[in-house]
Structure formats: structure tokens, C-alpha cells
Amino acid sequence: MDRMTGTSVRAGARILARADGRGGTALPVLEGEGPLAPRRVRASGAEARVMLVGAMSGPLGGDHLTVTADVAEGARLRVGSSAATIALPGQNRGEAYYDVRLTVADGAELLWLPEQLISVRGSDLAVTTCVDLAPTARLVLREEQVLGRAGEEPGRLVSRLAVRIAGRCVLDQELACGPGAPGGWDGPAVLAGHRAVGQIVVVRPEFTERPPMARLPGDGAAVIPLAGPAALVTAVAPDALRLRRLLDEGLRSLD
């Protein structure tokens, strides 16, 4: 994992949250390496909180990073990040990979709320997020991607998100942007010239009896019911600030 020699990095982080039997949530496993440094922060009520801190630059070309979070029955976990993740070209021009694997058990809740991912010119990153939920699990998952820094063209970014509830797939989608992506990614049917794109997946057992309604919470945003106790808030915007506002408006509309 030596950046000084220009070699690529393979690194991982793992989080395990369990109910502590006293109305709170314990973190018996909290470990990371390389650029991935999970840190426990002050808890709130029954909820344990973890912050992902960037210990090194990355992901760079050729890196392969993996984050795993398991939330056991009855536990509550909130995960954020201390800053944006920046995909950089690096000395190794190969494709970089960032895999996120999340599992939430019955009666458990996960709030996965990292800061945005910024795709820098010349970078090449594939992000895959896979979520497996038990029938009565709860989830709020936010993803935000910004294509290039101010006034900069983006790198190549491929992002896939798959969500399963009780083994049933309720969402599996992929978006490719930047050089080498299929034609039309920047056209009116996809990003329409915007440089920030994001989504929030919300899973709540009560949606089974009271499904959310499709709506347009703002210009460039939509709330879409999914086939299961779930909803998708999706938005495009000219910048990260406007994107966050649209996603937050969509999330509030579900309440």
C-alpha cells in the first residue's frame, strides 16, 4: 500500500453493529486499512455512529477498495464520511474499483450517508454498492456523484447500485459517465448537461401498507415507488449544493 512507489492499493474497511442489550448499539468490529479509516463518533440514543475518514488520497488508478457494513438484529447504525471521496488518475492508469457491501438484519436500521464522490479528469473508477435487507430492516442510503471539479471535465465513472429485500431484487441500476461511456450519457434523457447526480433509497416496513406516491419534489428531482417497501429519490443538478437540497426535499416528502 505504498503510494510513494506508485503502486496500486488493495484495502478494506469493516463495520459490525450489534444491539448491546441495554437499548444501544455496540461496534464489536471497526477496522480499516490504507485510505479507509472508520472512526467511532458520539452516539445518539440507540444509534451508533461511524465516520469514514480518508487516511490517504484515493481511490487512484488501479486501486481496489472495499467497505463492508453488517447491522445485526435490533441494531441502529449511521455511517457518514468526513469529506468528499475524490477519484484521481494516479501513476497507474488502470481502472480503480470501490465496492460497498451492506447487510441489514430484521428490526435493524442503517443510515448510509457519505459525502459526494468527485470524478476528476483522467480518473477511471467503477463503484458498486450491494445492499441485502431482511424483511423488516430499515434503510436510508444516499449516493451523490459530481462529474469534475469546477470548470473541469470528468473522468470515467461507472456506478452500480443493487438493493435486495428478503432476497428479492427491488433495484438494480447502473450509470456510466465521462470518456468512454455509452453515447447520450450527457443528453436530455440522462443528465441533460448537469454535472451532479444522486439518489436516496429509503426502505421502511410501513411502506407495505402505505406505499409512497410518485411525485416531483423539485426541478430535476423525482420520488419513485419501488416494487417492495421502498422508494427511490433521484435528482440531477448543476452542482453538489443544489443536488443535496433536491435530495433532502425528496426525502422529507416521504415523511
Side-chain angles (χ1 to χ4, degrees):
M1 295 186 293
D2 185 2
R3 292 292 195 204
M4 299 300 292
T5 63
T7 57
S8 58
V9 167
R10 297 184 67 90
R14 186 180 173 213
I15 305 167
L16 173 60
R18 287 180 178 163
D20 63 9
R22 303 186 302 274
T25 298
L27 297 171
V29 178
L30 187 64
E31 57 190 24
E33 56 187 354
L36 303 171
R39 297 287 185 262
R40 185 195 309 261
V41 296
R42 186 182 296 274
S44 176
E47 179 184 89
R49 295 187 175 185
V50 172
M51 193 70 67
L52 289 172
V53 178
M56 300 165 57
S57 59
L60 277 63
D63 287 356
H64 195 156
L65 309 181
T66 303
V67 179
T68 301
D70 296 297
V71 188
E73 185 173 355
R76 296 181 62 188
L77 175 65
R78 176 189 291 260
V79 179
S81 59
S82 60
T85 298
I86 303 178
L88 298 165
Q91 296 183 20
N92 185 334
R93 292 291 178 176
E95 185 177 23
Y97 299 89
Y98 197 125
D99 296 330
V100 179
R101 301 165 186 166
L102 310 174
T103 304
V104 189
D106 273 319
E109 180 179 58
L110 173 62
L111 306 180
W112 188 263
L113 304 170
E115 295 302 310
Q116 66 266 22
L117 167 66
I118 301 174
S119 174
V120 169
R121 180 178 181 179
S123 63
D124 188 352
L125 177 64
V127 181
T128 302
T129 302
C130 295
V131 188
D132 280 288
L133 303 161
T136 62
R138 303 174 71 88
L139 172 74
V140 177
L141 179 148
R142 182 179 68 212
E143 283 191 341
E144 298 170 314
Q145 287 111 26
V146 179
L147 306 180
R149 294 169 291 197
E152 177 186 64
E153 289 300 310
R156 178 176 176 269
L157 176 63
V158 179
S159 177
R160 181 183 178 189
L161 172 61
V163 179
R164 292 182 290 268
I165 303 175
R168 177 189 180 193
C169 182
V170 299
L171 178 68
D172 192 341
Q173 65 179 27
E174 181 175 285
L175 176 65
C177 304
W185 68 268
D186 200 22
V190 187
L191 297 186
H194 291 97
R195 283 296 178 264
V197 58
Q199 55 200 349
I200 297 178
V201 179
V202 182
V203 178
R204 297 174 181 166
E206 57 265 32
F207 284 167
T208 301
E209 300 297 328
R210 299 185 301 277
M213 297 181 61
R215 58 175 66 89
L216 302 175
D219 186 20
V223 175
I224 305 167
L226 299 177
L232 174 68
V233 181
T234 184
V236 294
D239 55 53
L241 181 60
R242 175 62 178 163
L243 177 67
R244 178 66 61 84
R245 289 174 179 170
L246 287 171
L247 291 174
D248 286 347
E249 288 172 9
L251 181 59
R252 284 194 296 269
S253 76
L254 292 171
D255 296 328

